[in-house]
Amino acid sequence: MGVQAAAESLPAMKTNPKFIFFTDFDGTITLQDSNDFMTDNIGYGQAKRRQGNLDTLQEKINFRDSFRDMMDSVTKPYSECIQYLVDNIKLDPYFAEFFQWALANNVPVVVLSSGMEPVIKALLKSLIGPDSDKMEVLGNFVKARPGKSIDEEGGWEIEFRHPESGYGHDKSIALRQYSSLPADSRPTMFYAGDGVSDLSAARETDLLFAKKGHDLIRYCAREHVPFTVFEDWSTILEKCKEIVEGKTTVQDAAEKGWEAYKAGEAGVTPAVSGTATPVRKHTHEL
């Protein structure tokens, strides 16, 4: 795929960026996961939801089926759900600063989410304002149940972007469109995430930011996927500035993340077997 073709089919390539930041939405850009928040408070509750997360991490159930079960437990009219989330979900206190830096430095931000696009766009508009339109959002969808309206009790359900995939939204598909670009036009790819919805993305970028104390770190350690730890977006902003300015490399950042995990500084207990150095699938050099 040439540069012109890439720009036409991949919106984030229109400005020929050298770096692109892909990110999960729920619990990564925001302080709370909106889907977990609905499930815990107006769905079947935190205990069952958390067990579903653990079962997914342990590969007892795929993410798509676990997530559908969660969303099916939320029966309030869809418009009420959106308003409930707008009233309660908060932005990471440093994300807006990161986003303004990204806009100023030609680092497109692409949201890859297992949540629902209309929810994400409504929350971004509320939390960030008009500039949120400059962020590409790829997620799942919402549809009315047969014979019902989405704005009545029990009237809506999730519609998966990739229903044939066990992920529901296989984030690796979008990421590979960028990672497979010719070397002279392929950007350096960052990704930030926190949980089981990010498993399909974990191996697909040059530098993975995994949120401290969350399930994505457990997965990366178990599967030997390189990552660096972040606590909030101030950490991400600082590290991205260093890389974009040539002060460090994605390889160095990943090595430091692994060292932080082994030292018990990643918010999860290091596994006894987690001693091997992770090997990155892609070896894109800066």
Side-chain angles (χ1 to χ4, degrees):
M1 185 185 294
V3 175
Q4 183 62 36
E8 291 175 358
S9 63
L10 302 174
M13 291 299 296
K14 287 182 179 178
T15 58
N16 193 28
K18 293 183 178 180
F19 303 88
I20 297 180
F21 204 107
F22 300 89
T23 179
D24 175 50
F25 178 74
D26 285 296
T28 301
I29 289 177
T30 58
L31 296 180
Q32 310 98 326
D33 183 306
S34 65
N35 305 298
D36 290 356
F37 190 82
M38 285 196 294
T39 305
D40 292 357
N41 292 285
I42 56 175
Y44 56 41
Q46 191 270 343
K48 187 173 181 180
R49 189 267 303 167
R50 182 59 185 148
Q51 187 59 53
N53 291 162
L54 294 173
D55 288 346
T56 301
L57 191 63
Q58 295 164 9
E59 300 180 344
K60 295 179 180 179
I61 187 173
N62 64 43
F63 177 81
R64 179 197 62 210
D65 294 344
S66 175
F67 191 57
R68 183 189 296 281
D69 196 46
M70 282 173 53
M71 292 297 94
D72 282 350
S73 77
V74 178
T75 60
K76 285 187 177 295
Y78 191 63
S79 57
E80 290 186 23
C81 290
I82 289 185
Q83 189 59 53
Y84 181 64
L85 295 174
V86 167
D87 290 343
N88 287 282
I89 300 300
K90 306 300 181 187
L91 193 69
D92 180 287
Y94 300 99
F95 179 77
E97 181 184 357
F98 168 86
F99 185 47
Q100 290 305 314
W101 171 84
L103 290 175
N105 288 274
N106 190 27
V107 181
V109 177
V110 180
V111 174
L112 298 178
S113 176
S114 293
M116 295 160 282
E117 283 189 10
V119 171
I120 296 164
K121 290 177 179 178
L123 283 169
L124 285 173
K125 184 175 181 180
S126 171
L127 295 168
I128 295 176
D131 278 346
S132 65
D133 291 340
K134 299 173 184 176
M135 227 181 297
E136 184 181 2
V137 176
L138 298 175
N140 292 311
F141 312 105
V142 177
K143 66 179 180 180
R145 293 185 183 276
K148 293 193 173 186
S149 160
I150 63 172
D151 284 327
E152 65 178 281
E153 187 76 17
W156 64 273
E157 63 181 326
I158 190 167
E159 182 177 20
F160 289 109
R161 177 176 286 272
H162 303 128
E164 73 288 349
S165 166
Y167 293 111
H169 176 196
D170 185 346
K171 299 179 182 183
S172 70
I173 292 174
L175 292 169
R176 287 172 183 165
Q177 290 180 296
Y178 291 87
S179 63
S180 63
L181 290 171
D184 60 351
S185 60
R186 180 201 186 282
T188 296
M189 298 164 59
F190 303 109
Y191 185 87
D194 70 320
V196 293
S197 72
D198 300 302
L199 303 188
S200 66
R203 296 180 184 275
E204 303 299 330
T205 54
D206 299 301
L207 182 60
L208 172 67
F209 291 91
K211 194 167 187 177
K212 183 176 181 178
H214 287 257
D215 287 338
L216 184 58
I217 289 179
R218 294 181 176 90
Y219 171 81
C220 289
R222 186 185 76 199
E223 301 296 326
H224 305 301
V225 176
F227 65 93
T228 193
V229 181
F230 80 97
E231 211 162 343
D232 56 44
W233 282 79
S234 66
T235 313
I236 293 175
L237 176 58
E238 178 184 7
K239 189 60 62 179
C240 285
K241 282 182 176 179
E242 291 177 356
I243 292 169
V244 169
E245 294 169 6
K247 296 177 180 178
T248 190
T249 66
V250 294
Q251 292 83 7
D252 287 343
E255 286 175 11
K256 289 179 180 177
W258 187 243
E259 291 302 318
Y261 167 76
K262 289 195 295 181
E265 298 168 1
V268 301
T269 303
V272 174
S273 60
T275 55
T277 301
V279 178
R280 177 158 298 284
K281 181 178 179 181
H282 299 300
T283 56
H284 178 58
E285 298 289 340
L286 295 180

